[in-house]
């Protein structure tokens, strides 16, 4: 049988009978298809149709590398025939890459003949053969990178060597193993793992792909954790003729998404529990608690609306009283339930719920709270311990990414906030604030007094922002961002400038206050006179229909800030242009789109 199988596999290679499938990979932000992973299968009428058995047999017969290289050729031919666009992820083992059978020049020539540029190809190193010797492997991967190809590692967290591979190889993409994605919405530990992977990826400059997305809940949770790309059955299964556009159901799902990456919602804490009718006898509920030792709370519902809760502890206390069982055993549970339990919408931010509980209760409330959907129908139960853990995780993450001088959110959270609002189809106003003449001030008075100025500006921006609506971030140095959703944003900007204009002189010594500035040496060594520090604010009005990511917003806001700085003194520059079309410039470009209306220069404010 083994001889027949080996001959059968070799015959399938010779006759090009292996089947090439493609599974789409989508952007976590927009859910648009960015590329495909190519997967090989044996003929459907063979026992080794599955890739696991195919490669297992191939390695047993010593033809594993041959199968891998033939699979690559099959994928390239099929991709060309289908006319697929975007990135192409090709699986190769470390054994094959480092073998004499894999020749880089031949591989790149095959790419060119297939009409695909090397910079569109990602070599995905499989976990099947962990890298044993990293030095020669890194050398080979560097050669591939020199040709324009990118590198990915597969199944992060699945094997003992995957973290070391990440550290040594420094890939362009990392795929998180599906184990960490399955039911991630119900598992805070998995969420913390994925969050940590994403933080490391940001630090070393690679992108994260979450594999195994199968449910809407998994999708929404992973979207909230800074993952870059998604792959899984919910999007599409591997197919011979893969989808070329994101399914309408998925686009609609993303459009209706209410996830917030910076403000974790109560929905993430939601867990199922026993639901009971109001007329259920108390003794019958006691039997259910007795039969299921993992059950700690039951929710009394009627017409899908929660009426109250009964905990295991409260029932035990009732039955432990002298006549408790006799008095209440036959009575309906509605008589003993806690009908004052906290009920909260699943869209409530955990920080707000935490504040609500601590502000409105002199004593600790029940250890559970009921979660309802937007129609106030029962959705599940949450616990205070999970809430405490989530709030703690959130605050630790926020502190980690805060600017240490002002403790305002830094670049990561600023970018998250912008992408979150765009994903939620929310328009907003972004004000880029920069301090004029700060360097000579800092050089003259020293960093300690310069830090005082930076801290005070951060506090000034926060005071003039609406706590519930607006977001203040510190990019770094003397650059700040305010994301306004409050409707009176322009008046707020003007109050900020007025306040700073009236108070800036107090940062200076008397002699500099009298002459209205500082004589100092510029970068070229020339003596210059620098006016009193001021704030320039460049404002763009961001319509979610015309922007897709924080990179586009950053590109425009930087240019608008430069326009504001062209006017001496405290100035406000409002960009009145209308961005009607999709951006054609990439995130690295500093050019402004051409499809604009003129800027109203009367909006420059001194």
């Amino acid at each position: 049988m083994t001889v027949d199988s080996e001959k059968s596999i070799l015959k399938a290679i010779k006759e090009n009978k292996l089947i090439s499938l493609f599974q789409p990979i989508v952007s976590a932000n927009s859910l648009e298809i960015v590329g495909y992973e190519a997967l090989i299968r044996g003929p459907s009428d063979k026992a080794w149709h599955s890739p696991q058995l195919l490669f297992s047999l191939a390695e047993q017969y010593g033809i594993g590398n041959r199968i891998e290289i033939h699979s690559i050729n099959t994928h390239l031919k099929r991709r060309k025939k289908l006319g697929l666009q975007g990135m192409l992820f090709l699986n190769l083992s470390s054994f094959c890459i480092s073998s004499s059978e894999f020749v880089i020049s031949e591989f790149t020539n095959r790419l060119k003949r297939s009409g695909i540029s090397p910079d569109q190809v990602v070599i995905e190193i499989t976990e099947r053969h962990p890298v044993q010797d990293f030095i020669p492997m890194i050398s080979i991967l560097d050669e591939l990178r020199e040709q324009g190809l990118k590198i990915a590692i597969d199944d992060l967290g699945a094997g003992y060597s995957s973290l070391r591979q990440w550290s040594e190889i420094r890939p362009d993409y990392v795929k998180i193993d599906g184990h960490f994605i399955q039911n991630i919405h119900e598992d805070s530990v998995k969420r913390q793992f994925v969050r940590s992977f994403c933080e490391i990826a940001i630090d070393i400059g690679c992108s994260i792909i979450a594999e195994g997305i199968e449910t809407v809940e998994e999708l929404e949770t992973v979207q909230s954790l800074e993952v870059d790309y998604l792959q899984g059955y919910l999007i599409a299964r591997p197919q011979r003729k893969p989808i070329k556009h994101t399914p309408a159901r998925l686009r609609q799902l993303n459009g209706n998404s209410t996830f917030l990456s910076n403000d974790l919602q109560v929905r993430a804490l939601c867990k199922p529990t026993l639901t009971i009718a109001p007329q259920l006898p108390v003794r019958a509920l006691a039997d259910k608690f007795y039969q299921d030792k993992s059950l700690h709370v039951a929710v009394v519902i009627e017409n899908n609306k929660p009426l109250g809760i009964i905990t295991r502890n409260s029932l035990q206390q009732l039955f432990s009283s002298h006549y408790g069982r006799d008095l209440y055993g036959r009575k309906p549970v509605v008589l003993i339930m806690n009908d004052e339990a906290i009920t909260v919408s699943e869209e409530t931010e955990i920080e707000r719920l935490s504040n609500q509980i601590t502000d409105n209760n002199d004593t600790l409330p029940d250890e559970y709270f009921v979660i309802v959907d937007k129609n106030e129908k029962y959705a599940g139960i949450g616990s205070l311990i999970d809430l405490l853990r989530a709030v703690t995780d959130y605050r630790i993450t926020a502190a980690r990414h805060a600017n240490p001088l002002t403790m305002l959110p830094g670049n990561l959270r600023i970018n998250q906030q912008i992408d979150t609002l765009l994903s939620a189809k929310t328009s907003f106003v972004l004000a880029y604030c920069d301090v004029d003449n700060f360097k000579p001030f800092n050089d003259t008075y020293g960093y300690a007094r310069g830090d005082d100025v930076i801290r005070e500006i951060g506090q000034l921006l926060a005071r003039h922002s609406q706590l519930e609506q607006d977001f203040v971030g510190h990019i770094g140095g003397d650059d700040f961002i305010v994301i306004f959703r409050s409707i009176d944003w322009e008046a707020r900007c003007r109050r900020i400038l007025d306040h700073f204009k009236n108070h800036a002189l107090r940062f200076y010594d008397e002699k500099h206050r009298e002459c209205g500035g500082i004589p100092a040496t510029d970068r070229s060594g020339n003596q210059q006179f620098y006016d009193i520090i001021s704030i320039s604010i460049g404002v763009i009005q961001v319509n979610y229909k015309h922007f897709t990511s924080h990179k586009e917003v950053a590109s425009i806001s930087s240019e608008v800030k430069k326009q504001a700085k062209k006017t001496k003194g405290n100035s406000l520059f409002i960009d009145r242009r209308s961005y009607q079309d999709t951006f054609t410039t990439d995130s690295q470009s500093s050019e402004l789109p051409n499809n604009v209306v003129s800027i109203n220069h009367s909006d420059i404010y001194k």
Side-chain angles (χ1 to χ4, degrees):
M1 180 178 176
T2 57
V3 173
D4 289 340
S5 295
E6 180 179 4
K7 288 181 179 179
S8 182
I9 293 173
L10 291 172
K11 183 180 179 182
I13 293 176
K14 184 178 180 180
E15 297 178 355
N16 295 316
K17 292 292 181 65
L18 296 187
I19 301 170
S20 184
L21 306 181
F22 296 89
Q23 186 174 31
I25 297 171
V26 302
S27 164
N29 180 43
S30 65
L31 295 186
E32 293 299 321
I33 296 174
V34 297
Y36 299 85
E37 179 182 0
L39 302 161
I40 203 71
R41 298 288 187 270
S44 58
D45 60 343
K46 301 295 183 182
W48 38 271
H49 172 71
S50 75
Q52 293 82 6
L53 186 55
L54 171 62
F55 283 106
S56 176
L57 290 173
E59 289 173 12
Q60 181 181 333
Y61 306 140
I63 57 173
N65 293 341
R66 186 174 174 182
I67 287 287
E68 289 193 49
I69 293 173
H70 178 77
S71 297
I72 295 294
N73 295 335
T74 302
H75 296 321
L76 293 176
K77 291 176 183 176
R78 183 67 179 169
R79 179 187 185 274
K80 184 177 182 180
K81 182 177 181 179
L82 293 172
L84 299 182
Q85 300 298 314
M87 305 296 292
L88 178 63
F89 286 71
L90 298 173
N91 290 284
L92 284 173
S93 68
S94 60
F95 274 16
C96 183
I97 292 174
S98 57
S99 71
S100 59
E101 297 172 72
F102 182 76
V103 181
I104 294 177
S105 60
E106 292 181 3
F107 174 66
T108 54
N109 285 334
R110 282 198 295 271
L111 294 181
K112 293 175 183 176
R113 289 195 299 269
S114 301
I116 182 170
S117 172
D119 61 8
Q120 290 184 291
V121 177
V122 182
I123 300 299
E124 189 171 324
I125 303 173
T126 63
E127 178 66 16
R128 192 165 61 250
H129 294 297
V131 178
Q132 301 297 330
D133 190 346
F134 282 95
I135 294 177
M137 175 56 62
I138 291 173
S139 177
I140 295 170
L141 296 180
D142 285 344
E143 287 186 52
L144 289 169
R145 284 186 168 114
E146 288 175 2
Q147 298 297 318
L149 290 99
K150 296 179 176 62
I151 306 299
I153 60 172
D154 194 17
D155 296 333
L156 176 66
Y160 70 93
S161 66
S162 58
L163 286 176
R164 184 181 175 190
Q165 283 197 99
W166 192 6
S167 172
E168 297 280 0
I169 293 174
R170 301 295 176 90
D172 302 283
Y173 299 89
V174 171
K175 285 191 167 184
I176 299 177
D177 183 64
H179 162 77
F180 295 97
I181 306 304
Q182 185 178 19
N183 296 324
I184 189 173
H185 55 290
E186 297 177 350
D187 194 326
S188 61
V189 174
K190 288 183 178 180
R191 291 196 295 274
Q192 185 56 52
F193 266 109
V194 173
R195 191 178 293 115
S196 298
F197 291 154
C198 292
E199 290 173 359
I200 296 171
I202 290 171
D203 288 341
I204 65 177
C206 75
S207 298
I208 291 287
I209 302 173
E211 294 186 291
I213 306 289
E214 295 188 1
T215 68
V216 172
E217 293 79 11
E218 291 169 353
L219 171 69
E220 292 183 344
T221 303
V222 171
Q223 279 182 313
S224 74
L225 295 175
E226 307 168 37
V227 166
D228 299 292
Y229 303 102
L230 310 173
Q231 184 177 358
Y233 285 179
L234 180 66
I235 299 156
R237 292 175 176 268
Q239 298 172 336
R240 293 201 67 184
K241 293 183 178 180
I243 59 174
K244 294 185 179 182
H245 302 284
T246 307
R249 59 173 175 80
L250 210 58
R251 290 197 303 272
Q252 183 178 3
L253 173 65
N254 197 44
N256 294 335
S257 175
T258 58
F259 79 92
L260 292 175
S261 59
N262 292 317
D263 302 306
L264 185 63
Q265 296 179 330
V266 168
R267 70 168 72 242
L269 309 178
C270 190
K271 294 181 178 178
T273 193
L274 176 67
T275 57
I276 54 178
Q279 300 306 314
L280 182 75
V282 172
R283 183 172 296 172
L285 175 60
D287 290 340
K288 293 180 183 294
F289 277 121
Y290 178 79
Q291 294 164 6
D292 185 354
K293 303 301 181 185
S294 66
L295 181 63
H296 297 286
V297 60
V299 181
V300 182
I301 67 170
E302 188 172 39
N303 297 324
N304 290 324
K305 300 291 182 71
L307 303 180
I309 67 172
I310 303 172
T311 65
R312 175 186 290 271
N313 291 338
S314 65
L315 189 58
Q316 286 177 339
Q317 290 176 9
L318 179 67
F319 275 17
S320 66
S321 62
H322 195 57
Y323 297 108
R325 183 180 294 270
D326 292 335
L327 286 174
Y328 292 100
R330 298 177 184 275
K331 298 291 180 65
V333 291
V334 70
L335 296 180
I336 68 164
M337 71 180 184
N338 174 10
D339 58 2
E340 296 183 353
I342 293 175
T343 300
V344 59
S345 167
E346 61 184 356
E347 296 179 0
T348 303
E349 298 164 10
I350 60 166
E351 187 86 6
R352 184 173 297 177
L353 175 60
S354 175
N355 293 336
Q356 174 187 331
I357 290 174
T358 54
D359 291 346
N360 298 335
N361 290 276
D362 295 328
T363 59
L364 191 67
D366 210 324
E367 59 184 309
Y368 296 98
F369 51 89
V370 181
I371 301 173
V372 296
D373 63 16
K374 60 184 178 181
N375 297 317
E376 298 186 352
K377 293 183 178 180
Y378 170 76
I381 201 81
S383 70
L384 288 185
I385 188 66
D386 285 344
L387 174 64
L388 177 62
R389 185 182 296 114
V391 170
T392 302
D393 288 347
Y394 171 75
R395 289 176 177 171
I396 289 173
T397 301
R400 184 182 298 123
H401 296 294
N403 186 286
L405 179 59
T406 60
M407 293 311 296
L408 290 172
N411 288 334
L412 176 64
R413 291 193 59 215
I414 292 170
N415 294 340
Q416 287 179 342
Q417 185 71 11
I418 293 171
D419 285 339
T420 293
L421 293 172
L422 293 176
S423 297
K425 294 191 174 182
T426 301
S427 296
F428 57 92
V429 169
L430 185 138
Y432 192 145
C433 308
D434 189 17
V435 183
D436 308 310
N437 303 319
F438 181 73
K439 185 180 186 303
F441 176 93
N442 209 43
D443 291 344
T444 301
Y445 291 118
Y447 70 87
R449 202 183 296 192
D451 286 351
D452 289 340
V453 173
I454 296 302
R455 274 192 291 266
E456 178 137 339
I457 290 175
Q459 294 167 7
L460 174 64
L461 298 178
R463 283 199 305 273
H464 288 280
S465 301
Q466 187 175 338
L467 179 63
E468 296 294 324
Q469 293 287 321
D470 305 330
F471 176 95
V472 181
H474 188 176
I475 298 174
D478 58 338
D479 289 357
F480 294 83
I481 286 288
V482 183
I483 298 173
F484 287 110
R485 284 187 289 167
S486 49
I487 60 175
D488 59 340
W489 57 268
E490 186 171 347
R492 292 176 184 273
C493 287
R494 297 184 187 279
R495 287 197 292 270
I496 290 169
L497 296 177
D498 284 338
H499 179 96
F500 196 75
K501 179 180 179 180
N502 295 330
H503 292 82
L505 277 174
R506 64 188 177 83
F507 294 114
Y508 288 78
D509 290 346
E510 182 62 31
K511 62 178 181 180
H512 293 142
R513 286 201 293 267
E514 290 179 355
C515 64
I518 294 175
T521 303
D522 63 17
R523 288 182 173 87
S524 301
N526 301 317
Q527 191 74 7
Q528 297 283 344
F529 183 82
Y530 294 93
D531 293 332
I532 299 297
I533 53 176
S534 56
I535 297 178
S536 294
I537 303 179
V539 170
I540 62 172
Q541 301 172 74
V542 181
N543 187 321
Y544 70 84
K545 296 179 181 179
H546 306 146
F547 292 82
T548 61
S549 76
H550 68 269
K551 295 179 181 179
E552 293 172 355
V553 175
S555 176
I556 303 302
S557 65
S558 178
E559 291 300 317
V560 173
K561 186 245 332 193
K562 292 177 184 177
Q563 293 293 329
K565 289 182 73 68
K566 289 180 180 179
T567 302
K568 291 183 62 175
N570 294 281
S571 61
L572 173 64
F573 189 93
I574 302 174
D575 185 358
R576 300 288 190 188
R577 295 174 295 188
S578 174
Y579 300 92
Q580 297 296 333
D581 303 315
T582 305
F583 283 88
T584 56
T585 56
D586 60 31
S587 61
Q588 302 301 318
S589 174
S590 61
E591 297 297 323
L592 293 173
N594 294 320
N595 50 314
V596 299
V597 298
S598 60
I599 298 174
N600 185 346
H601 291 274
S602 65
D603 287 314
I604 298 177
Y605 171 78
K606 297 190 212 178

